[in-house]
Amino acid sequence: MSIKLNALYSDSYVDISQYRDQHFKGNRYEQEKLLKQSSTLYVGNLSFYTTEEQVYELFAKSGDVKRIVIGLDKVKKTACGFCFVEYYTRADAENAMRFVNGTRLDDRIIRTDWDAGFKEGRQYGRGKSGGQVRDEYRQDYDPARGGYGKLVQKA
Amino acid sequence: MSRRRHSDEGDAGSQPHKRRRTSEPIEIEDRLESLICRVGEKSTSSLESNLEGLAGVLEADLPNYKSKILRILCAVARLLPEKLTVYTTLVGLLNARNYNFGGEFVEAMIRQLKETLKANLYTEALYLVRFLSDLVNCHVIAAPSMVAMFENFVSVTQEEDIPQVRSDWYVYVVLSSLPWVGKELYEKKDVEMDRLFNQIEGYLKRRQKIHVPMLQVWTAEKPHPQEEYLDCLWAQVQKLKKDRWQERHILRPYIAFDSVLCEALQHNLPPFTPPAHSDDAVYPMPHVVFRMFDYTDAPEGPVMPGSHSVERFVIEENLHCIIKSHWRERKTCAAQLLSYPGKNKIPLNYHIVEVIFGELFQLPTPPHIDVMYTALLIELCKLQPGSLPQVLAQATEMMYMRLDTMNTTCIDRLINWFSHHLSNFQFRWSWDDWADCLTQDLEKPKPKFVKEVLEKCMRLSYHQRIVDIVPASFSVLIPADPVCFYKYGEENSSSLPGFAVTTTVGNAIKNRASNEEILIVLKDVPNPNQDDDDDEGDGFNPLKIEVFLQTLLHLAAKSFSHSFSALAKFHEVLKALTDCDEGKLHILRVLYEFWKNHPLMISVLVDKFIRTQIVDCAAVANWVFSPEMAHDFTRFYVWEILHSTIRKMNKHVQKIQKELDEAKEKLEKQQNKKQRDSGDEEDMEKQNSEDEEGQLEEQIEKLQEKVESAQSEQKNLFLVIFQRFIMLLTEHLVRCETSGVDINTTWYKNCIERLQQIFLMHHVIIQQYMGTLENLLFTAELDHHILAVYQQFCALQL
C-alpha cells in the first residue's frame, strides 16, 4: 500500500549542508555518515553576549537539550559567537533545524547546521586572532561581535 | 563534452552522480510521480489543459507502467487531500479513456481503504472515502453504490457494545463527504439519503457529550461557541441541504469536462462492510471546532463565511490538510497556504490565522510540535508583511480580552507562542493597550498572562531588556532579576547554624577536594533533627544538605555549565545526602531557596537531579505540592517542571521496554536459527549457541524485572500526583462550602485545569492505569467537581 512519494516527502531543512569540518579526523564519507546520524547542532551568528541560558531556552522548544558548549575565543577564552547544542535524540535536533534555524536569538538571525559531534578542542575559534574565521575578514561593523573585523581593526 | 557510454557506469563507487539514459525505467517512474504530484500547481497553462495533457500521457504509459500509476494515484488520494478534486478529475478522464483502468483503480482504492482502517489510519481513510465520493461527480462510480457504502457506514451506529468514538467516525466520514457529493447523491437517491439523514439525526441526539468541556479552549459561549465537531458539521450539512446543495466554494475541474465524462461508463463500488471493532482499534478522539473570527472581524474585503456554512468547513479542512502535508517545510507551507485557490473570495489571512491557532490550542495536544506554528506564522508575516501582522495583532488582542475564560493549558501555549514571536520582532508591542490589567489582582488571568509572557521574554533575552521594553507603569509585572540567594553570604549569616562549615566546605571545593574529603568535612554539621547521637551521622540531616548545596551552587552560579560540572563532580556526596525520601525532598527545597528568582535554572537543575538519580520523579511531585511551594503553585514554570518530570519517567519506561523487546526478538531469531540448523552443527557450535541462548534468557529476565519496576514507579508517580490534587481540591471545596463562599476562585480554576492538564498531556500512558485510578482514587465518594474531570477524560475514548 504505502509507497513513499519522493516528491511529497521533502524535508529540505533537515538536509546536511555543503560545509565540512576541515579538522575532522576521518574521510568525507565518515564525516557525512556522522552528520546524517548526529543529534548535535552547530549554531552560528550568535552575539558575543548571548548566554548559555538564552540558548537553552530557545533550543528547548524543539526537545530536551542534553548539553550546550559555548564557543570561545582561543586566546581570550570569552564567547566568540557560536555554540554547539546537543540533544538526546536526533528527532529533536531535526525539529530545531526545521523551526529554530533562521529565526532570531538576541535579535540576530541564527544559523544551525549539523555537527559530527563535539570533541574537546572544537569549542575554540579557528581564526588567527582567536575568534571565528568569519570575524577575521569581514568588513562590516557588528557591535555584537566585537565591532569591525580583525583585519579592518589592524589596518 | 565527452559522451559517456554504458561501460563507464561500472565505476559507480567514484561517481556518485551517474549519468543515466532517459529511457531507463526508474527515471520514467520518477517522472510520472513528479508529473502527477505537480499537476494543479502554478502553471502558465490552465488547469484543464494540464489535466487533459497529463491524462493523455498517462493513458499512453498504461501498457507499461499501469501498476506504478495506480500506486501513485492511490497515494495522492491518501496524502494530498487538499487537491482532491484535481485528482478525481484526472481519474475521471482516465476512466473515460480506459474503462478497465477505472475499475482497477476503484478496486485498488478499496484495498487501500481496508488497509488504512486496519492500521488505525483513520484520517487517511477519511480522505480515501471522500475521494471515492467525489469520483461519483466524475462519473467513475455509480451514485447508488456510494449510497450503499454510506448506508453500511451509518449502520455502525446500530452496533452494540462499541466505543462511541467508533460510530462517531463512521458518521463523520459520511457527513464530511457530503459537501462534495451531497447534490449528486440526493438527485439520484433522495429517499435513501433522507433515511440516512434520519438515522444520523437520531444518533447525534442520543450520543454522549461528556467529553466536550475538557476539549473547549474557552468555557464561555460568547462570542463564539466552541462546538463539538459532529454537532457543527451536522448543522453545516443541514444548512447545505436547505440551500438545495448549492455549494460554490469547492473547485470542481470536472465540470469543464462534463461532456467527456458523462459519456464514461461507471463502476459500482463492491459492497463494503466496515471491519469489526477490535480491542487494538484506536479511533480518533473527538474534538471541538475552534472559532475566533466571524464576519464582523474582517473589516474590509470579502466576507468570512458563517460558522454553519459548508464553505467554512471546506476551507478549514483544506487549510488543515495543507499544514499536514507541508509542516516540515515552513516556507513551502506558508506559500501553499497563501496560494489557496479561491482566496480572492474569502478573507484568507483570517482563515489561516484561525486554523493555525486552532491547531496550536487543540486539546489534548496539537497535531504538530508547538514551535512549528511559531515558525510558520513568522514565515507568513514575511510573505504578507502588509496584511498578516495586523491580523495576528488583532487575534492576539482578542485572545487577551478573553483570557478570563480560556483553558489554562491553552494559556500556557499562548504565553509560549507570544513571547517567542515577540523575540523575533524586537519585543515590539503596544503594552499600554493592556494597561487595564494593572488595576487587577495580579493572580487574575490578564495580569498573570502579561507577567508570564514577560518572564518568558526575559528568558530569551535578559532582565534589563524587559525593563526597557515595557512602560514604567508595568514594573509590577516585570520578572525578578534572576540572581541567586546565598543565605550564608548575607549580613548576620555568621549566626546561622552550620555557617562555619560553609567556609570549610567552600575552601575544600576550591582546593579540589574529593567526595570522601567533603563527606568528612560535613560530619561536623550538627543534625537539628536528632537529639540522640547517630554514630555515623548518616541519617537524614537537612542542615548538611543546606550547607553543602548552598555553598556548591554559590561557587558554581556563574552559568549552567559551571553548575552541571559541580553536580557531576560531587555526585557521590549528593547521593549520600539524599539517600532517603526526606533527603530528596529537602534538596529540592534548598535548590528552590537558592535559585527562586531564576526559574529556568531550577528547571535545568531538577532535570539533572533526576537524570543523575539524586532525586526521583515522585520527590519532584511531592515538592511541587508541598506547602513551601504553595505561593508559586500557579506559576507556569512549576508545571513545566512537573510535566517534564512525567515525560522523563515515560521515556525511561519506553526505553527499557524497547530493550526488552529487542532482546526477545534476538532470542526468537536465535531459536529459529537453531531449529533450522539442528543436526548440521558440530558439538562446539551447539554448545556456543546454547550458551548464547542462556545468556539472552537471563538478560530477558533481568529486563523484564526492570520494566516491571519502572512501570511500578510510573504508576506510583501518577498516583502521587492525583492524590495530591484530590487532597488540595477537596480541601478548597469543603472550606468554601462550610463558609458559604463560591468555589470558583481564580486559584480553583487554575488548579482544576492543571488536574485536567495532567490527564490531557499524558492520556496515552494514563489510560494504562485506569483500573487502578478508578479503584483507588476516582471513586464515587469523591466530590463531583473532581470526579467530573475524570469522567470527561474517560469519555474521550468511550
Side-chain angles (χ1 to χ4, degrees), chain B residues 342-360:
Chain B
K343 62 184 174 179
N344 296 321
K345 296 189 238 151
I346 53 174
L348 182 62
N349 285 342
Y350 285 85
H351 284 290
I352 290 175
V353 167
E354 189 176 69
V355 163
I356 288 177
F357 280 123
E359 288 202 7
L360 179 62

Side-chain angles (χ1 to χ4, degrees), chain A residues 1-13 52-54 56-58 61-64 66 68 88 92 95 97-107, chain B residues 33 37 71-72 75-76 78-80 112 115-116 327-331 369 371-372 375 420 424 426 456 459-461 465 559-561 564 598 600 604 608 611 651:
Chain A
M1 157 182 86
S2 37
I3 67 164
K4 277 222 151 192
L5 292 178
N6 296 323
L8 287 186
Y9 278 94
S10 186
D11 198 0
S12 54
Y13 284 76
E52 196 183 339
E53 299 161 24
Q54 287 171 276
Y56 242 101
E57 177 70 15
L58 181 60
K61 290 183 187 296
S62 73
D64 291 336
K66 186 171 179 185
I68 292 176
Y88 288 98
D92 291 343
N95 277 333
M97 288 291 284
R98 293 184 189 113
F99 308 122
V100 179
N101 186 15
T103 66
R104 289 183 192 266
L105 179 56
D106 252 343
D107 298 314
Chain B
E33 228 183 75
C37 290
R71 287 212 315 256
I72 299 173
V76 299
R78 192 167 48 90
L79 300 170
L80 283 178
Q112 199 181 201
E115 283 167 13
T116 49
W327 65 271
R328 290 178 194 84
E329 298 198 314
R330 61 200 205 230
K331 283 193 173 62
I369 188 174
V371 70
M372 183 278 281
H420 188 188
N424 274 272
Q426 297 109 37
K456 285 275 170 163
R459 279 158 64 148
L460 286 167
S461 57
R465 189 78 199 279
S559 77
F560 285 6
S561 288
F564 294 164
H598 198 337
L600 181 57
V604 300
K608 274 290 181 273
R611 291 187 192 271
K651 283 194 187 145

Side-chain angles (χ1 to χ4, degrees), chain B residues 691-708:
Chain B
D691 283 345
E692 237 186 279
E693 239 184 81
Q695 272 177 6
L696 272 176
E697 280 170 355
E698 225 188 280
Q699 195 189 22
I700 288 177
E701 229 187 274
K702 282 209 185 104
L703 283 173
Q704 190 72 55
E705 273 173 34
K706 251 179 119 180
V707 165
E708 280 165 16

Side-chain angles (χ1 to χ4, degrees), chain B residues 500-523:
Chain B
V501 188
T502 64
T503 320
T504 327
V505 164
N507 288 331
I509 294 173
K510 282 185 234 176
N511 291 324
R512 303 170 196 279
S514 70
N515 282 271
E516 294 82 36
E517 287 162 348
I518 298 285
L519 282 168
I520 292 171
V521 168
L522 288 175
K523 278 197 205 289

Side-chain angles (χ1 to χ4, degrees), chain B residues 6-199:
Chain B
H6 270 290
S7 55
D8 287 348
E9 290 174 4
D11 325 321
S14 54
Q15 294 163 32
H17 303 287
K18 291 196 287 193
R19 292 258 193 93
R20 286 199 188 113
R21 299 230 303 227
T22 50
S23 58
E24 272 202 31
I26 298 178
E27 275 229 351
I28 294 197
E29 291 191 357
D30 282 348
R31 203 171 65 89
L32 284 174
E33 228 183 75
S34 173
L35 281 174
I36 294 174
C37 290
R38 295 210 189 307
V39 75
E41 288 176 20
K42 268 202 193 107
S43 161
T44 45
S45 333
S46 71
L47 175 61
E48 285 78 25
S49 77
N50 284 334
L51 281 172
E52 180 91 60
L54 182 55
V57 167
L58 295 180
E59 192 195 1
D61 280 330
L62 280 181
N64 295 323
Y65 296 101
K66 184 176 66 172
S67 60
K68 180 72 179 178
I69 292 172
L70 272 176
R71 287 212 315 256
I72 299 173
L73 289 175
C74 282
V76 299
R78 192 167 48 90
L79 300 170
L80 283 178
E82 63 270 26
K83 288 169 74 177
L84 169 69
T85 51
V86 169
Y87 291 117
T88 51
T89 307
L90 180 61
V91 171
L93 291 172
L94 287 172
N95 180 57
R97 295 164 188 236
N98 187 322
Y99 177 77
N100 286 334
F101 178 77
E104 285 185 67
F105 177 74
V106 172
E107 273 169 28
M109 285 286 282
I110 295 291
R111 269 198 307 273
Q112 199 181 201
L113 177 60
K114 288 194 176 120
E115 283 167 13
T116 49
L117 288 174
K118 219 162 106 182
N120 282 326
L121 295 170
Y122 287 94
T123 312
E124 295 186 2
L126 185 147
Y127 298 149
L128 292 175
V129 174
R130 205 182 273 162
F131 195 96
L132 289 172
S133 66
D134 201 45
L135 285 179
V136 172
N137 293 326
C138 301
H139 298 261
V140 178
I141 291 179
S145 68
M146 194 72 224
V147 175
M149 181 183 250
F150 282 173
E151 281 170 344
N152 281 345
F153 282 4
V154 175
S155 66
V156 170
T157 60
Q158 306 298 325
E159 287 176 7
E160 288 180 357
D161 290 330
I162 53 161
Q164 182 174 283
V165 282
R166 172 177 162 86
S167 37
D168 278 355
W169 186 79
Y170 282 99
V171 167
Y172 184 66
V173 162
V174 172
L175 288 178
S176 72
S177 304
L178 291 182
W180 282 265
V181 75
K183 180 156 187 272
E184 190 66 23
L185 294 185
Y186 241 86
E187 269 171 25
K188 298 273 157 54
K189 286 278 185 179
D190 62 328
V191 171
E192 286 79 357
M193 289 301 290
D194 269 336
R195 198 176 10 193
L196 221 56
F197 259 56
N198 285 335
Q199 277 185 295

